[in-house]
Structures are given as structure tokens and as C-alpha cells.
Amino acid sequence: MNMGNRSFKLKCENLAAISGRIRLRYRGICHITSHYNQLMEDIYDVYYVKYVKINSITETILVEYDSSKNVEIDEVIDVINNIVAKYSLEVYKGYIESKMIEGAGKYENVNESSRKLLVRLLINGGVILGTRLLPSARLPLYPMSRLANFTTVPALTSLALTSPLLKTSWDGLVETKRPNADFLTVTSIVASIMLGNSISALTIIALSDIAEFMTSYTVERTRNSIKKLLSVEEDTAWKLNEDGKIEQCGVDKLRKDDKVVIHAGEKICVDGEIVSGEAIVDLSSVSGEYMPVIKKEGEKVFAGGLIKNGTITVRAEKVGDDTVISRIIDLVENSANQQAPIQKYADKFSNYLVPLNLLLSIVVYGATRSTTKALNMLVIDYSCGIKLSTATAFSAAINNSVKNGVLIKGGAFIEQLSMTDTIVLDKTGTITEGKPRIKGVHIENENYSEKDLVRLACAAEESSSHPLSYCVLEYGKLLGVDIPIHTAIETAVGRGTYTSVDDKIVRVGNLKFMNENGIEPSYESIEFANGATPIFVSYGDEFIGVISAYDKPRNHIKRSINMMRSNGINEVVILTGDMKKQAQEVANKVNADSFRYELLPEDKANEILKMKSEGTGVIMVGGGINDAPALSYANVGISLGSKSTDVAMETSDIVINSDDPLMIPKVIDLSNKTMEVVKQNFALVVGINTVGLVLGAVSNISVFWSAVMHNMSTIFVVGNSVRMLFYNMQSNYLE
């Protein structure tokens, strides 16, 4: 069973077979335990099957059958394979869900903060300088001891600075039963001291700390950028009490429905709706848009926005950890749980290289009887550079993306993005603006006027957050209709909404919603939309008419798709709940390769899984609640737009907080450039260290210069990765 970007197929492994009895293994079948009863029934339906047992632990199916029916073992296997194959998609879905729960691993942790590393470097440099100025410092404190070389000031300093590595090297030996890179470093330092060359030991430590400092700097800069750009940075807020008085209180004391007054120069600390006032708001930390916008009464604002001018009062809808910004921070800071496959490979590969250095050291010493050359083999190793090749590049790329209003939740998705060849786009709110306008109204039942139809439609749409609902309500305001008294509004996800007015059910939604409830709109009504989106309205058992809404494509969406194709995307697919005619019209306008229509949320998810099961790497771009399942099942899920729902933002792997579709190819381009840097890093590490090992074995270079060469490879790798901090995501898109 192959996963990820490769083909997926449940394959049979014949463990044991005799006449009348067979045991088969199906890797992955453990992911569909809820379907076992149905699967067993399907197998029992085969006329010659007598007994079936499924073991989820061993992933096997035991079948006993009537051998007197003149069936061959191969025939039995083929029949069972055909039955099990029907569940391949469900197995794959279960596999994906299990991987989401497990997480993919963790980045290599930075052992020391940059501040601690600076202190270590100052101590190291001070001792080296002091030893140069005071040669007596090289003399052992206990000259008669066998361990005299370990009692000099440089030696004792080296041992003290090496102490953190002693634990990690020991832990590596205990946990993995093999030496790690820290073990090599400790061995080379101890060996240098034994040979009386404690200055070389200090030099090895200093060069290693410099390389780690650069790594730590890169990672810390990423984390700080995220916190700086996204954090609210407000400890107190001005709360408006019911008596009209304003009092200052802690942000942590705010609750839902509290009214918060925010003045010029203050950051918004809650998600909510403006109930009074008007202000110019800088949303760069939230949306990546650096042009301030005017926010008025009735509009939504989010925590993290900065009031540039004016004063507003906001009714809090989400506070504290529930705000969108807080949840995004948590998701991004936990991105370490999404380790890229290439990182896993690099870590595993580098761990296997450490014993190679030990072996080379033994071989070189045996051949040359030179302790210096043997030490060179220990000092120069590939593992540190190889591990940093990926982690630092991904960290820098994530930092860069945050500055541009894009949140990438882990290096795994940078790598996946560079490998995918198909992009799937939701239509409403992704390809289109998500701001539909009413194009026209068609009345089928002559007993109702246009106002009657819109009035009933507003009743069912009053509390819905769907873009089509907003445009219906706005049209109702324009006509001056009064919304009738109605019962609680219910939502049929992916279909529409309904409520009750005067004991009759009002249904507003798509054609599928109407048909499911036994309501058949006329052909004339279905065709009325003419490429726009139809909103069908029924009252009781009667169909009364249709509202035609038009949502124009976003600016630059066609250009965005063309740029995606230039970045390696071969196929563009549109998924929508709209009817065929509306979907086809949009697909033609943006030059999409294909489209799927009249899809429910679960249908969209299944379409994604079908593509993946065929070996296609899939990017899914959406933003609504109905897109969440598809976003979670794609290789890379991208939520686009400042109005993306919380659910979509949490289930997606990349969050683009602006409404600019050009950000999609920019992110793809960033991922491609990042993977280029990773490949360059691998080449630098392998090249420099290989030259160092050869020179260390055949020439007379000292341990000092071997340490210089080894750590220079690490420094070059980190420096090359740092370039991604300054990579201009806009450069290739300016015209």
C-alpha cells in the first residue's frame, strides 16, 4: 500500500491457503473497523463462503469455504480482492485521519538560545585570549597526575562547555544503540585534551557554537516574527459598562458580549462587531494587507488589528484563546509537529553516517599511526550539516511567509507544495469574490409577488453566514421588506436553510435541496439563472420562485492560475455545489481543465481522496465551512481570504489572510525556491566535508583546520538558508 503522492491500492498477501481455508493480509484494513460488519456480510454473500473473521491487529481476513463447490484457491482470492477493493477509499480516508492524529514528528530542537550561546562564545574567547597572553595558564594544576592534561585552565573550560553534549551523546547511545553527532564532538574534544592540545578542543567548541548560534538565530527570528506580527500585545482594555461608564480591565477578564472601546494607537484585543464609531484600521498583522482600511458600524474586526485613527466600540464575539489570531499563533508555533519527509530522511541518513566516521578514524589510524589524522575523521562529520540543511531552510521560509500574511504550519507542507501537480479550487469565495449580487427574480407562482418571495427568503436566511444569504438580505433591505416572525433557522449543509413561517416551512437553497423535499421547480425556473447562481424558494409544498445571484471572479484569478501552471501545476479543477451550467461558465472564464458540480461537503472530500488514490498530489484551496473536509484530506490545504472561517483555517495547512489569489502562486514559488536551497545545502555539506575527510586522511592538516572546514560547511548551510528570510515573494509578480 503506497501513500502520499503515489498510487494507493489495497493489495492482498496470501499468508496461508489450504483447500477450504485461506488467510489473507490487507495492509491498512485496520483503519476501517467501523465497516467490518458490512465487509463480512459482503463476503458471506458469496455462495460458497462458510465463515469469515477479520483481525484488525494482524490486518488479516480468515475465510473458510465449501471446497466441494469446485472452486479454486485463486478464484477465492480474486473474489475477496474484488470485495475488499470497494473499501479502498474508506481505508485511505482512515489512514489520512490517523496520520493527522499522530502528527508527523518534530523538528530538531535548538539546544541553546542565542543568548546562552553568546555567553559560551565570550567565555571561550576569553580563555583562548588569556592563554595566549599568559602561557602559564596552559600548565596543569596537578602536573604529577596521569590526568595532568585535563587539569589545565583551557582543558577544564572545554570540559565545562562540553557538559551539555555529554548528556545528549549518552542519551543517543541508550535510546538508539548507536553514536550520534554529539558523541563524535565529545570524543574529538576529549582526545584533543588527552594529546595535550586543549586549545584545539576550545576551537572545536567555538566553531560549533558559532554554527549553532546562526541556527538558533534563524529559528528564533521566525518565532519572534510570528509573535510580533500576530500577537495582540495588549494587557488591558477599556470596557464599556451597562451604565455607560468606561473602566479599564485586564484583557483576560473580557467575556463574550462585552463592549470594548478601542482608541487610536491601540490594538484590537477581541474578535467582534463594531457597534459604534468609525476608525482607520491597520490589518497587516492579520491579513498581510499593508494598506489601512476604514471600518464602520456593523462591520467585523479581529484581534491584532491596529487602530490608526478614530475610536470604535466593539461587541466581543470571541475573546482570549478563542480569537482567530490566538488560534493561528498556536497552530503556527506547533508547526514543528509537521516535519517534512525530506527532514525525516536527512535525520535518519545523518544518524547512519556517524558510525562511518568512527570506522574511518580506526582505519586511518591503523594505516597511518597518526592520532591527528584519526582525530580529523572524528571532527569532520556530515550529520550536523545534513540535519540543518532542511530545518533552517524551512524555518526561514516560514518566517518569510508570515511577513507576507501567509501562515505555513510546518515544513512538511513546503515540501508537499513543491511536489504537487494538481490544484483544486472551490468556486464561491475562492475563484469568485464571495460578494454575490442579485441579478433578477423569477416568480413561478402568480399568487406571490417579488416582495413576497424575497420576504420569505429573508426569513430563512436571516442568521446564515453564507455569502448568498448576505446578498438576499441586502436585496430585502433595498426592497424595504419586513422579515416575518419565524421559528429557529436550520441549516442543511451544502444545500440551504429552512424555517417556519405561519406553520409552513420556508426552504431556500439549491436544486438538490428542493428535490430532496419533493419540490420540483420548472425547467423555466432552472434555466432562469442563465449562468448565475440560482436560489430556489419554496413555501410549504409549493415552489414559488427563484432568485438569480451573480458572483464575479476575483481580480487576477485567471493570471494566478496561469502563474501556477508555470510553477509546475498541470491540472486545475473546480469543485462547487452549484449546478453544471454555473460551474461550466466559471471554469471557462478562468481556463480550468475540469470541474465537478452539485457537490456536498463530503462529495468534495471524496473527490480529493479519489485524486490522491490515483497517485495525484493535490492542493485544495477553499475558505468556507463546507470546504473543511476537502482541505483536511488534500496533500496541502490552503484557506484563502480574510473571511475564511475558523474551521477552514484550522483544518488547512496554509492560511493566506489576504483576498489576493496571486498569493497562491507566490507561495508555490516560495516552496520551490526553498527546496532548491535544501538541495544546495546538501551539496555544500557533502562537498566540503568530503574534501575535508580526504585532506584530513592524506595530508598533514591540523585538527584545528579540520574543525574549521567542518563547521564552515555548517555555517555555509545556515547562511544559504538565511537567504530565504530575505527572498522577495513579490519580485516575480510585478509587471
Side-chain angles (χ1 to χ4, degrees):
M1 179 169 61
N2 296 321
M3 303 294 182
N5 292 330
R6 299 168 296 218
S7 61
F8 172 82
K9 185 180 179 181
L10 271 174
K11 291 184 179 180
C12 161
E13 183 181 350
N14 187 356
L15 297 181
I18 59 174
S19 181
R21 191 174 185 272
I22 190 167
R23 186 184 298 273
L24 305 173
R25 175 178 289 155
Y26 292 92
R27 300 283 186 188
I29 204 168
C30 58
H31 297 299
I32 57 164
T33 53
S34 60
H35 295 274
Y36 279 2
N37 289 336
Q38 184 59 52
L39 176 58
M40 290 172 65
E41 286 181 17
D42 292 344
I43 297 174
Y44 269 122
D45 284 341
V46 181
Y47 71 95
Y48 49 75
V49 172
K50 297 164 56 179
Y51 176 77
V52 181
K53 183 180 179 180
I54 303 175
N55 190 319
S56 61
I57 299 174
T58 59
E59 299 184 304
T60 58
I61 300 178
L62 173 66
V63 178
E64 294 182 2
Y65 61 96
D66 188 351
S67 57
S68 66
K69 300 295 185 182
N70 294 322
V71 291
E72 300 290 334
I73 290 176
D74 289 343
E75 182 183 343
V76 177
I77 294 174
D78 288 341
V79 170
I80 297 174
N81 278 340
N82 289 332
I83 295 172
V84 174
K86 294 188 296 183
Y87 295 87
S88 292
L89 192 61
E90 292 299 323
V91 171
Y92 190 60
K93 186 186 295 185
Y95 167 82
I96 296 294
E97 290 173 346
S98 70
K99 298 308 287 183
M100 290 175 184
I101 296 171
E102 292 172 8
K106 294 183 178 181
Y107 283 115
E108 190 75 16
N109 292 326
V110 178
N111 295 323
E112 304 280 353
S113 69
S114 56
R115 186 175 297 177
K116 288 182 179 179
L117 288 167
L118 279 174
V119 172
R120 286 171 57 90
L121 285 168
L122 287 172
I123 294 172
N124 197 324
V127 172
I128 292 175
L129 181 61
T131 304
R132 297 292 185 189
L133 297 175
L134 298 171
S136 60
R138 299 184 184 183
L139 299 176
L141 299 177
Y142 300 96
M144 302 304 293
S145 172
R146 291 183 178 181
L147 301 176
N149 287 341
F150 288 88
T151 64
T152 66
V153 172
L156 292 171
T157 305
S158 298
L159 293 173
L161 294 175
T162 309
S163 57
L165 299 180
L166 290 171
K167 185 179 183 304
T168 56
S169 61
W170 175 254
D171 290 343
L173 284 172
V174 173
E175 293 175 8
T176 65
K177 310 300 181 185
R178 66 165 61 94
N180 55 22
D182 290 341
F183 180 86
L184 289 181
T185 304
V186 171
T187 303
S188 61
I189 291 169
V190 172
S192 295
I193 295 173
M194 288 179 64
L195 296 171
N197 199 351
S198 55
I199 298 298
S200 291
L202 282 173
T203 305
I204 293 171
I205 296 170
L207 291 170
S208 178
D209 284 348
I210 290 171
E212 192 167 345
F213 173 79
M214 293 185 66
T215 305
S216 179
Y217 169 79
T218 306
V219 174
E220 287 180 8
R221 179 163 178 170
T222 298
R223 291 171 180 168
N224 291 336
S225 293
I226 292 168
K227 290 179 179 178
K228 182 180 178 182
L229 290 168
L230 298 180
S231 65
V232 174
E233 293 179 350
E234 295 286 349
D235 298 322
T236 61
W238 296 100
K239 180 181 174 182
L240 179 63
N241 296 322
E242 292 182 0
D243 59 4
K245 295 182 178 179
I246 299 176
E247 67 172 6
Q248 195 171 32
C249 70
V251 172
D252 58 335
K253 302 295 184 183
L254 295 175
R255 298 292 182 265
K256 184 180 179 182
D257 293 326
D258 283 347
K259 292 181 179 178
V260 184
V261 181
I262 308 154
H263 308 89
E266 297 176 347
K267 273 197 172 184
I268 302 169
C269 54
V270 297
D271 293 354
E273 182 180 319
I274 300 175
V275 294
S276 67
E278 180 178 320
I280 298 174
V281 184
D282 180 359
L283 295 172
S284 58
S285 64
V286 183
S287 67
E289 299 288 344
Y290 286 89
M291 287 297 293
V293 295
I294 299 174
K295 290 290 183 178
K296 303 177 181 178
E297 184 178 336
E299 295 185 327
K300 301 282 187 180
V301 290
F302 299 94
L306 176 66
I307 305 297
K308 303 291 287 186
N309 192 14
T311 301
I312 56 175
T313 301
V314 179
R315 179 184 289 110
E317 296 177 354
K318 292 180 180 178
V319 298
D321 293 338
D322 290 331
T323 62
V324 171
I325 205 77
S326 294
R327 288 155 75 176
I328 292 171
I329 291 172
D330 183 62
L331 288 166
V332 176
E333 288 190 330
N334 291 327
S335 65
N337 292 326
Q338 296 293 343
Q339 191 180 33
I342 195 170
Q343 280 184 275
K344 295 179 185 177
Y345 172 79
D347 289 352
K348 188 176 181 180
F349 180 64
S350 62
N351 289 334
Y352 280 110
L353 288 175
V354 173
L356 175 65
N357 286 86
L358 291 172
L359 179 62
L360 284 174
S361 179
I362 296 170
V363 171
V364 169
Y365 182 77
T368 64
R369 298 297 174 180
S370 170
T371 54
T372 299
K373 292 181 179 180
L375 271 176
N376 288 338
M377 301 301 100
L378 296 177
V379 171
I380 303 173
D381 74 278
Y382 297 93
S383 59
C384 292
I386 287 176
K387 288 183 178 182
L388 293 175
S389 296
T390 55
T392 54
F394 289 140
S395 180
I398 291 172
N399 180 302
N400 194 330
S401 69
V402 170
K403 292 180 182 179
N404 288 276
V406 180
L407 302 173
I408 302 174
K409 299 177 184 177
F413 309 115
I414 294 176
E415 183 180 4
Q416 284 285 339
L417 205 60
S418 69
M419 297 166 60
T420 50
D421 53 13
T422 298
I423 188 162
V424 177
L425 301 166
D426 173 57
K427 184 178 80 68
T428 304
T430 301
I431 292 178
T432 63
E433 292 181 342
K435 301 175 183 177
R437 304 166 179 84
I438 300 301
K439 190 176 180 181
V441 177
H442 172 73
I443 306 297
E444 184 159 309
N445 192 318
E446 60 185 16
N447 295 323
Y448 296 87
S449 65
E450 180 180 355
K451 280 192 174 182
D452 292 333
L453 182 145
V454 175
R455 178 173 173 268
L456 291 169
C458 287
E461 301 278 37
E462 189 174 17
S463 63
S464 175
S465 59
H466 195 280
L468 290 174
S469 301
Y470 282 126
C471 83
V472 170
L473 292 168
E474 287 297 316
Y475 193 65
K477 289 180 183 178
L478 185 65
L479 295 180
V481 302
D482 60 310
I483 300 177
I485 298 173
H486 55 84
T487 60
I489 297 170
E490 301 289 339
T491 299
V493 180
R495 298 169 175 83
T497 58
Y498 60 96
T499 187
S500 182
V501 175
D502 297 333
D503 297 325
K504 288 186 178 181
I505 297 177
V506 179
R507 294 182 177 89
V508 179
N510 56 27
L511 183 61
K512 184 175 287 189
F513 189 39
M514 297 291 117
N515 292 338
E516 287 176 350
N517 290 279
I519 299 166
E520 300 289 339
S522 66
Y523 177 80
E524 184 181 2
S525 295
I526 295 173
E527 289 295 309
F528 171 74
N530 191 28
T533 300
I535 305 170
F536 298 97
V537 183
S538 68
Y539 187 42
D541 296 327
E542 293 182 282
F543 175 70
I544 59 176
V546 60
I547 302 171
S548 172
Y550 176 71
D551 190 9
K552 74 173 185 177
R554 291 181 184 270
N555 291 332
H556 308 306
I557 183 65
K558 190 174 179 180
R559 182 181 168 201
S560 172
I561 289 173
N562 290 336
M563 289 179 174
M564 283 187 257
R565 294 187 191 278
S566 67
N567 274 319
I569 300 298
N570 298 323
E571 187 172 5
V572 179
V573 181
I574 295 175
L575 301 183
T576 180
D578 274 351
M579 298 168 60
K580 181 179 180 179
K581 193 170 184 178
Q582 288 75 43
Q584 188 168 23
E585 182 166 325
V586 172
N588 291 337
K589 284 183 178 179
V590 300
N591 291 336
D593 296 296
S594 60
F595 61 91
R596 319 278 196 274
Y597 55 93
E598 294 185 24
L599 299 178
L600 298 175
E602 56 267 31
D603 297 328
K604 290 183 180 180
N606 284 330
E607 288 292 333
I608 296 294
L609 288 173
K610 286 177 184 176
M611 294 180 198
K612 291 180 66 177
S613 69
E614 294 168 357
T616 302
V618 182
I619 304 168
M620 170 68 193
V621 185
I625 292 174
N626 62 326
D627 299 323
L631 286 168
S632 66
Y633 288 136
N635 294 84
V636 182
I638 301 176
S639 67
L640 174 69
S642 56
K643 296 182 179 179
S644 295
T645 65
D646 296 354
V647 176
M649 293 172 76
E650 290 192 26
T651 55
S652 59
D653 309 308
I654 297 174
V655 180
I656 298 175
N657 287 312
S658 75
D659 294 312
D660 185 5
L662 287 176
M663 289 305 300
I664 303 170
K666 290 176 185 178
V667 174
I668 296 174
D669 184 62
L670 178 69
S671 71
N672 292 336
K673 293 294 187 293
T674 303
M675 295 311 298
E676 286 179 13
V677 167
V678 169
K679 293 174 183 177
Q680 292 167 4
N681 288 346
F682 277 135
L684 282 170
V685 171
V686 173
I688 294 175
N689 283 288
T690 299
V691 171
L693 285 172
V694 173
L695 289 176
V698 302
S699 69
N700 293 319
I701 65 170
S702 65
V703 175
F704 168 80
W705 288 110
S706 293
V708 169
M709 292 189 68
H710 164 65
N711 286 285
M712 283 304 295
S713 71
T714 303
I715 292 170
F716 284 157
V717 161
V718 176
N720 192 43
S721 298
V722 167
R723 292 193 299 122
M724 295 308 302
L725 289 172
F726 310 101
Y727 178 72
N728 187 359
M729 290 178 65
Q730 313 293 333
S731 61
N732 295 331
Y733 298 89
L734 298 175
E735 292 186 354

